[in-house]
Each structure stands twice: as C-alpha cells, then as structure tokens.
Amino acid sequence: MTIYQFLLLFLLWVCLPHFCSPEITFRRTPVPQQRLLAAHVPRSDGKLLHRQKRGWMWNQFFLLEEYTGSDYQYVGKLHSDQDKGDGSLKYILSGDGAGTLFIIDEKTGDIHATRRIDREEKAFYTLRAQAINRRTLRPVEPESEFVIKIHDINDNEPTFPEEIYTASVPEMSVVGTSVVQVTATDADDPSYGNSARVIYSILQGQPYFSVEPETGIIRTALPNMNRENREQYQVVIQAKDMGGQMGGLSGTTTVNITLTDVNDNPPRFPQNTIHLRVLESSPVGTAIGSVKATDADTGKNAEVEYRIIDGDGTDMFDIITDKDTQEGIITVKKPLDYESRRLYTLKVEAENTHVDPRFYYLGPFKDTTIVKISIEDVDEPPVFSRSSYLFEVHEDIEVGTIIGTVMARDPDSTSSPIRFSLDRHTDLDRIFNIHSGNGSLYTSKPLDRELSQWHNLTVIAAEINNPKEMTRVAVFVRILDVNDNAPQFAVFYDTFVCENARPGQLIQTISAVDKDDPLGGQKFFFSLAAVNPNFTVQDNEDNTARILTRKNGFNRHEISTYLLPVVISDNDYPIQSSTGTLTIRVCACDSQGNMQSCSAEALLLPAGLSTGALIAILLCIIILLVIVVLFAALKRQRKKEPLILSKEDIRDNIVSYNDEGGGEEDTQAFDIGTLRNPAAIEEKKLRRDIMPETLFIPRRTPTAPDNTDVRDFINERLKEHDLDPTAPPYDSLATYAYEGNDSIAESLSSLESGTTDGDQNYDYLREWGPRFNKLAEMYGGGESDKDS
C-alpha cells in the first residue's frame, strides 16, 4: 500500500466511529406484537403463557478490504438482553464464510475476520446469528440475518481489454474526425468514492490526435494529414481512476492508426517526351512499347486509363491499358511501311478512373505526354501487285503459250531484282511453267478441260540478293471449253427385234452424251451412216432418237444379228460427230412382243435339259477328275522305295572336291612330304599366309619313332599347334594324309623322293624346257638349301 491509501483508511476510520465497535443488542418488542405472537402459543395447565420476544437491533457490519494487520480483523459484536454475563448463553454464527472466514466468540459475541478480504471477489456476505442456552441448547432468541459489507479501497487500476488497438482514418480528414473509441474498466466499486471513475488522456500521438477524457474517443487533431507524407501513427492512451487526480491508479494501451488513401494525387508522366522504335515488318497487334504515369495514391485511387488524343499516328497505332501494371501498351493498328513514313507522333493522356469530387480543387486528375515512334527499315519480301490472280485460257492453245503474267516488286529502297518460280507441289504434272525474270506463266503440256477444269497454282517471288525473302501468291487458271469431243452413246444398248415385227415398229430409244460443255447447252443430231433397208432413225430433237423397223418380219435362222451404224453430231463449232454401231439381235417373241429366245442354237437343245441340269453334270465331271488325280498321286507314292533296303546293302559314295590348289607358284604353303613321312620332318618354317608380329627362334620338333602309329602322330601335331606362339588366334583345321610307315612296299610316289636320304639328280628337268623350270628349282634347289 502507498501512503495515500493508508491516509484514506485512517480518515475513514476517524469519520465512521460506529465501525470501531459495532454491536447488535436486543430490545423488547412492543405489546401488540407480543399479543400477536402469544396467540400462537398453546395453553399449559390452564394458564396463558406469555413468551417474551427479543429482536435484533439491526445494523450492517462494514469491513475494509485488503486488511494487512497481523491479528484477526474485528468485525462487530452480537449481544442479547438475556445475556447476564454469567456465560449461560452461547452465540452461534452461520452463513457465508461462517467458521472459516468469519468466526464468533461464543461467549462474548465478538465477530472477527480470519484473513484478508478482497471486495472484487465478493462484495458482501450474508450471515445468520442466534443465541442459545448453553445448558439446554435451546434458543433464547430467534435466528436473524445480517450482512457484512466489504468497503472498497482503490486497489485496482483501470485495464483495457486489448493491449494494442488497430484503427484507420482517411487521410485529409477534418479536425475532430472520430478514429476509434477505447474503453478501460476498473474493478473497484463505482458506487463508493472515485475509485472506479476513469479519465482518459493521451501520452503519445500529439499533436496529430486527441482523446476525449470521459469517453475515450480518439479524434484527429491536425487538418490535412497526408498519407503520402506519413502513413502510420502510434498513439498511447492512459486511463486513470480517482477522476484523474493525484494518487489514482492508471493503465495504458497502444493504438496503431493508419491513414487510408483517398484520391488526392493526379497521375504524372515522368517525361514530357518518350521515344519508341518499331520494325516495319511488325504485324498488326504487336506491342512496341509502354508508357506509365505515376500516381502517389494506391489501390483504385491509382487506377489510370490511357488514350491517344492527338497526333499523326492515331490511325496507325493504338494504346491498351494494362490493369495489373497500370501501364499503357502501344500496339500496331495498321501495317507499317518504312518507305512511306519513318516517324509518327502521338499525344497520350493518362487520367484517373475514380476521382473524388472533394479534391477537385487540387487540379485536373490527368496528364499528357508526347510519344515519338520511329519506323526501322527491314529487308522485306517482294510484294505482288494482287493478292491473287485469275487467268482464263482455252484448252486448245499450243504448248508454250503465255496465259498470264504476275507482277511483284521489292518494297525496300534498294529495289532488289525479283526471281519468279512455281511451287511444284501445286503443279505435280508440270503442265505450266513460269519465266523467272518477268513472271510470265505459260503452258508446257497440252491442256484438257475434260480432265481438269481448274488449276490452282502457287507462284513464289524471291529476291535474287536474298533468296530467303520470298512471297507466295495464289494463281487460279480456268480452262475454257473448246468443242473437241464428239458425242457418243450415253449407254451400251442391248437391242433386239422380234421376228414378227412390222414396219415402223419402235425397237430402241437412244441418247448421247458429250464431254464438252458449250455455252448454249448440248444439242445432238442422229442419222444413219447409210440407207438401211431394215431399220431407220427418227430424231426426236430432244437429244434422243428412235430406232424403227422398215420391213415386215425377220428370220433369225437367216440373219441373227444386224449392225446399224448411227451418226451422232453436235451443233457447236467446229462440229464434232461420231458413228456408233448399234447391235440388233433377232429374237423370238410372243404375241405381246416379249422376248423368248434370241439364238438359233437354242432350238437344237433338248426340251427337258435345264440350266440346273447342266450345272449338276459339270459338278459330277469335276468330282471325277479330282478322284482320278488323288488315285494317281497315291500310286506314285507306293512306287517310292528307300535308298538302303538293308544294312548289308553298302555302296561306295564318291565325293568329288574340285580344288586345284595354288598352282605351280604355291611351293611352300604346305610341305606334303612332311605329312606323308614323319621321319623326314625338317625345321619348322614360318607361315607365309600371315605375317607374324614377332619373330621367334624356330624350334625343332622331335621326330616320331618309326613305330609311331597315326594316332600318336596326330596327338603330337595337335600339341605342337597348341604350344606354337606364332599360330593365329583362331581355330584352324589341320589335315594330315599320313597313312603310317608300316607298309613293306613303302611309298611309290616320286613326290616323297625329295624327303629321302638318297641323293637324287633332277638336273635333267631343266632340259625339258621352260615349263619344267619350276620343278627343277623345287627339287634341284632342295639340296643346296639343306647344305646351306
């Protein structure tokens, strides 16, 4: 406790003397009340008993909160008129906190508080007091309630529900504009003194804001606060009890105030003139650059709309507002041409879309700038004089005739020469061609409208200096018709005449078609190539004609078929005609003219043999042929016998190898003598079919003994090849023609004589001529080699 609180408690103690010795005493109840109560008392032994009613002298007990003394705090005293001081009465206390918080001296009636009491926890306590006879435990006074009220002291400071408040107020607000209200609460008793009376004041935030002392409403204190200069403010508000007087308790809170934006700033272009460049080849819709006006405001207050209000390029360029970046995107509106114009000037305006009428006095909320656009030259492809060409030509023109000319020019200032060509994908048959220099289109093959009436070509114009710059144009060639096709029969006519026909009878109606398409339409004329005694042609003059008979009766046994040449001609220029032959068969007909039979052989067939019978006979013949073929195949199969009938039937198999060897020049590839006679093995020679990488010292292979058989000989050779480091690293097949050395007759071949120990003289071979020189060298030089 502070010294001010002690002084306040002392003043209360002096000013309220009944607090010091509170006492409840009894007094007699008036006589009328006694009579009223006595009526309810029953009689005893014939006498009316009069009970004396004692009442409590009613007073409230008052107790200061937050007692800090070491002894129990004295509350008050209970006393009854029946108490004679001899200790015969006993005081009993019950109710809120009785026995724990509040205790009573049962002899004297003194009431004490056992601990410090906080009024903010409980403002008053309701208790019941009663005096009873200690000996009989019967009440001498009825139970009565009384209240112990806790007197408040200023022990709670004002508190705010939030430590930090957030508020906002529009910028440029007038003085006194309400921002936010803060309210502090004090837990002290508002009905007693000024402990709970709170006064607000501002500790931080002046001179921009102020606060109303009684309500806590924060208001603006300066006019025209600009968000663009300062947006955030921090205000500290103090709430103090005791009416704000000295000694009162206080609490503080922080209010963060943000100035919200209003549209009080117009857009401004940072530059008076903006320069842009664009290629003349840029297509329509290409963005060539952007302009942006800055606005100090935010949100919708900074939204700007761009437009072109003046300049010589209003019809060539357009501007679009980008809502995300607030930029004006300048785009190409029409195709550009460097050779026509190289510089355009635009006047662009930027204006706020949301204007606040309160700030009209700040000036117009728009700005303008000048945009100069320079057109840059590029190497443009050639430009045709038309977007497409249409040429009409008759189909009978001669090959090489010019049907039309396409024209193109280089739009660049250099005016490069142009080369023309045809896209062969559009003229696969190569019917047309084009002069590369002047663009004249001519025919290279004959035209035929009946095959193709239209030809859709593509002509390519490319600069000679820069062939990559090219342009394509569509050329439509329409083939005009010329009467170059003769009319023909429309269909094939299968015509017959009845044997019983009469003169002038209609046997066929014919028509014609023509591949040509004259302007006046088709018109055909029909006639006979020569006068026919049997039939005639009658032209219906509607591109049809009738074939009529001229005689009475026909005989199919005499003439079964008539050929009637019919001449068909058109009326176009030049007149075209053709002769079509109509084949008329003579048939037997009934009385109504219906055909029954047209061939003379039909009379010779049996009457009962129908078409079904003929088919059955044909199937039987086919089945018989199949059976014969199968039988013949089985018979040939039985005649086949195996090549070897039994194990004893052994025949020689002669295998012919047509290998002539290496000829006379091949003298050292293989030493046949070595293979024939193992006893005559010489030093190992290097192979001549391959060149070894490293030369090894030749090693001598031990000779096989005379009694070595073929198996031992082969095994030794196999081991020799396995251990030979000069052998090739692949598998090879070594063939040995050695038959053994156990023959008594030995070898009869003269080829082995070169390997024997006996001296042989082969010099006579040189006398036989140049053809035997090689043999002489082979056998004559062998001895010299050994000696060396």
Side-chain angles (χ1 to χ4, degrees):
M1 280 188 161
T2 62
I3 188 171
Y4 302 106
Q5 292 174 337
F6 281 113
L7 290 176
L8 180 61
L9 292 175
F10 178 77
L11 291 175
L12 290 174
W13 190 266
V14 173
C15 296
L16 300 175
H18 58 280
F19 291 164
C20 300
S21 58
E23 181 179 352
I24 295 180
T25 59
F26 296 106
R27 66 178 179 180
R28 291 190 179 274
T29 307
V31 175
Q33 188 175 359
Q34 290 180 356
R35 292 178 180 176
L36 180 61
L37 294 175
H40 297 281
V41 180
R43 292 179 178 271
S44 180
D45 47 56
K47 295 182 180 180
L48 180 63
L49 297 178
H50 295 280
R51 180 177 179 274
Q52 292 183 355
K53 175 67 176 175
R54 297 294 182 182
W56 297 103
M57 177 69 75
W58 180 251
N59 282 312
Q60 286 185 343
F61 289 112
F62 293 93
L63 185 65
L64 287 175
E65 66 171 336
E66 302 296 342
Y67 175 71
T68 58
S70 58
D71 298 332
Y72 289 164
Q73 185 178 6
Y74 181 73
V75 179
K77 183 180 181 62
L78 295 179
H79 184 71
S80 174
D81 294 342
Q82 301 296 326
D83 188 2
K84 306 226 168 113
D86 55 359
S88 60
L89 294 183
K90 179 180 180 181
Y91 295 96
I92 299 175
L93 189 66
S94 63
D96 294 340
T100 57
L101 179 60
F102 300 101
I103 59 175
I104 187 171
D105 190 339
E106 60 183 16
K107 294 182 179 180
T108 62
D110 293 332
I111 300 174
H112 292 83
T114 60
R115 59 180 176 84
R116 185 170 59 180
I117 299 175
D118 189 359
R119 189 202 67 84
E120 284 70 35
E121 293 181 0
K122 193 174 180 65
F124 62 90
Y125 296 86
T126 302
L127 292 95
R128 293 179 298 277
Q130 189 176 30
I132 63 174
N133 189 289
R134 187 183 296 273
R135 183 173 56 84
T136 62
L137 300 179
R138 295 182 63 183
V140 297
E141 297 288 347
E143 186 178 59
S144 181
E145 288 186 352
F146 66 96
V147 176
I148 299 177
K149 189 173 183 181
I150 309 302
H151 254 308
D152 183 45
I153 64 172
N154 190 18
D155 60 343
N156 292 278
E157 68 276 1
T159 58
F160 291 93
E162 300 289 341
E163 293 183 2
I164 298 177
Y165 289 85
T166 301
S168 62
V169 62
E171 63 173 334
M172 308 297 291
S173 297
V174 298
V175 176
T177 301
S178 176
V179 179
V180 68
Q181 182 179 12
V182 293
T183 303
T185 59
D186 196 321
D188 294 327
D189 188 2
S191 62
Y192 181 76
N194 293 328
S195 299
R197 183 186 174 191
V198 178
I199 298 297
Y200 301 93
S201 61
I202 184 168
L203 301 181
Q204 178 182 326
Q206 293 175 336
Y208 307 103
F209 299 94
S210 63
V211 63
E212 293 184 357
E214 301 291 340
T215 62
I217 297 176
I218 301 174
R219 300 182 182 275
T220 58
L222 284 181
N224 300 328
M225 286 192 294
N226 197 340
R227 184 197 65 85
E228 288 72 31
N229 295 332
R230 182 176 177 181
E231 184 177 3
Q232 298 289 339
Y233 294 87
Q234 190 176 75
V235 178
V236 178
I237 302 297
Q238 182 189 63
K240 190 174 184 180
D241 58 12
M242 298 300 292
Q245 297 177 5
M246 184 180 295
L249 303 179
S250 63
T252 60
T253 187
T254 301
V255 182
N256 293 326
I257 301 175
T258 302
L259 296 184
T260 58
D261 186 56
V262 297
N263 192 6
D264 59 340
N265 293 279
R268 290 288 180 263
F269 283 105
Q271 298 175 347
N272 294 329
T273 304
I274 300 174
H275 296 273
L276 298 177
R277 295 180 180 272
V278 59
L279 298 176
E280 63 171 335
S281 61
S282 299
V284 174
T286 302
I288 64 175
S290 63
V291 295
K292 184 174 183 179
T294 59
D295 193 325
D297 298 321
T298 60
K300 69 176 184 178
N301 297 320
E303 292 181 1
V304 178
E305 187 73 24
Y306 297 90
R307 66 178 65 91
I308 299 175
I309 60 175
D310 197 4
D312 53 12
T314 55
D315 58 339
M316 302 298 295
F317 300 94
D318 198 2
I319 190 167
I320 303 172
T321 302
D322 190 338
K323 298 298 183 181
D324 296 330
T325 62
Q326 293 300 313
E327 292 179 335
I329 309 299
I330 299 178
T331 60
V332 179
K333 189 176 182 181
K334 291 183 179 180
L336 305 174
D337 188 9
Y338 172 82
E339 288 71 24
S340 300
R341 187 160 190 170
R342 304 182 181 182
L343 181 64
Y344 292 91
T345 302
L346 304 176
K347 188 175 183 180
V348 178
E349 179 185 73
E351 183 179 10
N352 280 136
T353 56
H354 300 86
V355 180
D356 194 338
R358 296 178 300 172
F359 304 104
Y360 279 153
Y361 67 93
L362 296 178
F365 284 80
K366 57 186 177 180
D367 194 15
T368 60
T369 187
I370 301 299
V371 179
K372 293 185 178 182
I373 303 175
S374 300
I375 310 301
E376 295 184 350
D377 187 25
V378 296
D379 192 1
E380 298 177 274
V383 178
F384 284 94
S385 59
R386 301 179 189 175
S387 59
S388 63
Y389 293 86
L390 173 63
F391 299 137
E392 294 182 346
V393 60
H394 288 88
E395 60 178 327
D396 61 345
I397 63 173
E398 297 180 357
V399 175
T401 302
I402 296 177
I403 64 174
T405 302
V406 296
M407 299 179 63
R409 64 178 181 86
D410 183 9
D412 297 323
S413 58
T414 57
S415 186
S416 175
I418 306 299
R419 182 189 301 275
F420 298 93
S421 62
L422 268 176
D423 186 354
R424 289 303 176 186
H425 293 89
T426 60
D427 184 26
L428 297 177
D429 296 332
R430 296 183 176 269
I431 300 175
F432 301 94
N433 210 337
I434 191 171
H435 289 288
S436 61
N438 57 17
S440 297
L441 197 65
Y442 61 92
T443 59
S444 57
K445 289 183 180 181
L447 302 178
D448 190 354
R449 189 201 67 85
E450 287 69 36
L451 293 179
S452 179
Q453 186 177 358
W454 286 92
H455 295 273
N456 301 325
L457 308 176
T458 299
V459 176
I460 302 173
E463 296 181 9
I464 295 179
N465 299 332
N466 186 9
K468 293 183 179 179
E469 295 296 334
M470 62 177 63
T471 306
R472 299 171 180 264
V473 70
V475 178
F476 306 101
V477 180
R478 180 182 181 184
I479 310 301
L480 300 179
D481 186 40
V482 174
N483 192 23
D484 57 348
N485 292 280
Q488 298 176 351
F489 282 130
V491 295
F492 173 77
Y493 294 102
D494 186 10
T495 307
F496 71 95
V497 61
C498 295
E499 289 182 310
N500 56 359
R502 296 186 178 186
Q505 184 174 344
L506 174 65
I507 63 173
Q508 185 69 57
T509 300
I510 61 175
S511 62
V513 293
D514 194 339
K515 295 181 179 179
D516 295 324
D517 187 15
L519 296 178
Q522 301 283 1
K523 181 63 178 177
F524 303 123
F525 301 97
F526 301 90
S527 62
L528 292 178
V531 179
N532 191 295
N534 300 314
F535 305 96
T536 185
V537 176
Q538 182 179 351
D539 196 338
N540 297 328
E541 297 183 356
D542 60 353
N543 294 336
T544 63
R546 298 188 297 170
I547 308 298
L548 304 176
T549 59
R550 296 188 65 179
K551 70 176 186 176
N552 187 11
F554 294 86
N555 190 344
R556 57 177 168 164
H557 299 290
E558 296 178 358
I559 301 177
S560 62
T561 303
Y562 291 92
L563 299 178
L564 182 63
V566 179
V567 178
I568 310 173
S569 60
D570 55 21
N571 67 339
D572 204 358
Y573 180 83
I575 296 175
Q576 299 288 341
S577 63
S578 65
T579 300
T581 301
L582 193 64
T583 302
I584 304 174
R585 296 180 298 162
V586 181
C587 300
C589 302
D590 57 12
S591 58
Q592 283 79 23
N594 298 321
M595 181 183 65
Q596 291 184 342
S597 177
C598 294
S599 60
E601 291 76 5
L603 299 174
L604 302 177
L605 293 175
L609 193 60
S610 63
T611 304
L614 292 175
I615 295 175
I617 293 172
L618 183 60
L619 289 176
C620 291
I621 294 174
I622 293 174
I623 292 173
L624 290 175
L625 290 175
V626 171
I627 292 174
V628 171
V629 172
L630 292 176
F631 180 77
L634 292 175
K635 192 174 182 180
R636 291 185 62 184
Q637 185 69 21
R638 291 176 182 177
K639 291 181 179 181
K640 293 183 178 180
E641 296 179 354
L643 296 176
I644 301 176
L645 296 178
S646 65
K647 295 182 179 179
E648 298 177 357
D649 187 6
I650 301 174
R651 304 179 184 182
D652 293 336
N653 293 325
I654 300 176
V655 181
S656 176
Y657 298 95
N658 297 322
D659 187 5
E660 299 180 356
E664 295 181 355
E665 298 296 333
D666 189 5
T667 59
Q668 297 183 2
F670 299 97
D671 189 357
I672 298 176
T674 304
L675 299 179
R676 293 290 182 181
N677 189 359
I681 298 177
E682 296 180 355
E683 295 181 354
K684 183 172 180 63
K685 299 181 179 180
L686 296 177
R687 293 185 56 169
R688 296 194 177 185
D689 56 345
I690 61 172
M691 179 180 292
E693 296 181 359
T694 307
L695 295 178
F696 293 87
I697 299 174
R699 53 186 177 85
R700 183 177 299 273
T701 304
T703 59
D706 295 339
N707 58 355
T708 304
D709 58 0
V710 177
R711 181 179 299 175
D712 294 338
F713 172 75
I714 294 176
N715 289 334
E716 290 183 5
R717 291 296 180 272
L718 178 61
K719 183 176 180 181
E720 176 185 351
H721 278 276
D722 291 339
L723 299 176
D724 187 5
T726 63
Y730 47 81
D731 295 337
S732 61
L733 178 62
T735 304
Y736 302 102
Y738 172 62
E739 298 178 355
N741 56 358
D742 293 337
S743 176
I744 300 175
E746 295 183 352
S747 177
L748 301 178
S749 175
S750 62
L751 296 176
E752 192 179 4
S753 61
T755 62
T756 58
D757 296 332
D759 295 334
Q760 296 288 339
N761 186 8
Y762 295 99
D763 294 336
Y764 62 89
L765 293 176
R766 301 182 183 275
E767 300 176 358
W768 290 3
R771 294 184 179 180
F772 297 93
N773 290 337
K774 195 65 177 178
L775 287 175
E777 293 177 0
M778 290 175 59
Y779 291 96
E783 297 297 332
S784 61
D785 293 339
K786 290 181 180 180
D787 297 338
S788 61

